Amino acid sequence: MFTPDPTAVVFCEGQFGKQDGKTANGLVQYSEKCTVLSVIDSTNAGADTGMLLDGIPNGIPALATLDEAIAHAGQVPDYLICGIAPSDGLLSEGNRHTLLNGIDRGMHLVNGLHEFLGDDVEFAAAALRANVTITDIRRPKAKKDLHQF
C-alpha cells in the first residue's frame, strides 16, 4: 500500500484526541508505515499533537487546513489518511471536500471509514483524473485472497 518512506497528513477535523479520532490518535503515536507530518484539525490548530494526547511533545502539529498541511510539508505529501471515525460512519460535505481536494492535489487517499470511498462515483472519478489510489482499509479481501488455517 505505501511507497518506501512515504509521507502522510492525517485528516481528523474536530475529533483529534477524542474517541471518534482514534485512527488519527493511533497513527500519530504508532505509525511505522509512513511519516506523519501533521494532523488537520482546526479545533486544535497550533498545538503539538503529542501534547494533546499524552503531554509529551512529538513535533507533529495540528493544522487548520489542507493548504496549511501542504505548506508545512514543503511539498504535497504522498498520502492523505482519513483518521476520523464518526459514529454514523459517513462523511460530512465539508469533510468530503477536503478529501477530494487532497486527491486533486495528487495525494493517495487511505480511508478507514465503513463508507467505501473507492465505490463513490465522485471520489473514483477524482482519483482517476489525478492518477492516485483510494485504499478502503475496511473492505474485505476477495475470496481468492482468503486463507484457511
Side-chain angles (χ1 to χ4, degrees):
M1 175 168 67
F2 289 111
T3 57
D5 300 320
T7 56
V9 169
V10 180
F11 178 74
C12 194
E13 180 56 39
Q15 299 302 319
F16 190 76
K18 299 176 184 176
Q19 178 67 25
D20 285 353
K22 61 188 174 188
T23 299
N25 303 343
L27 285 167
V28 164
Q29 292 180 309
Y30 307 111
S31 179
E32 295 178 359
K33 294 191 181 244
C34 64
T35 300
V36 175
L37 302 176
S38 62
V39 172
I40 300 170
D41 181 356
S42 64
T43 63
N44 287 302
D48 181 284
T49 58
M51 292 297 293
L52 294 170
L53 292 177
D54 58 15
I56 301 169
N58 62 11
I60 301 172
L63 301 170
T65 67
L66 180 60
D67 287 339
E68 288 181 22
I70 292 171
H72 171 76
Q75 63 184 25
V76 176
D78 299 309
Y79 292 89
L80 178 57
I81 302 173
C82 184
I84 55 175
S87 55
D88 65 3
L90 302 174
L91 289 173
S92 70
E93 280 304 310
N95 292 348
R96 286 178 63 87
H97 174 76
T98 299
L99 297 178
L100 285 164
N101 188 4
I103 289 172
D104 289 343
R105 289 169 173 248
M107 299 172 78
H108 298 279
L109 181 63
V110 178
N111 172 39
L113 297 170
H114 293 279
E115 177 182 16
F116 297 154
L117 298 179
D119 293 343
D120 181 294
V121 174
E122 186 177 16
F123 276 87
L128 188 61
R129 280 191 311 272
N131 196 31
V132 299
T133 59
I134 297 174
T135 303
D136 291 307
I137 61 173
R138 291 185 185 267
R139 183 182 299 280
K141 291 182 179 181
K143 285 185 181 181
K144 68 177 181 59
D145 295 327
L146 297 175
H147 302 286
Q148 189 173 18
F149 296 96

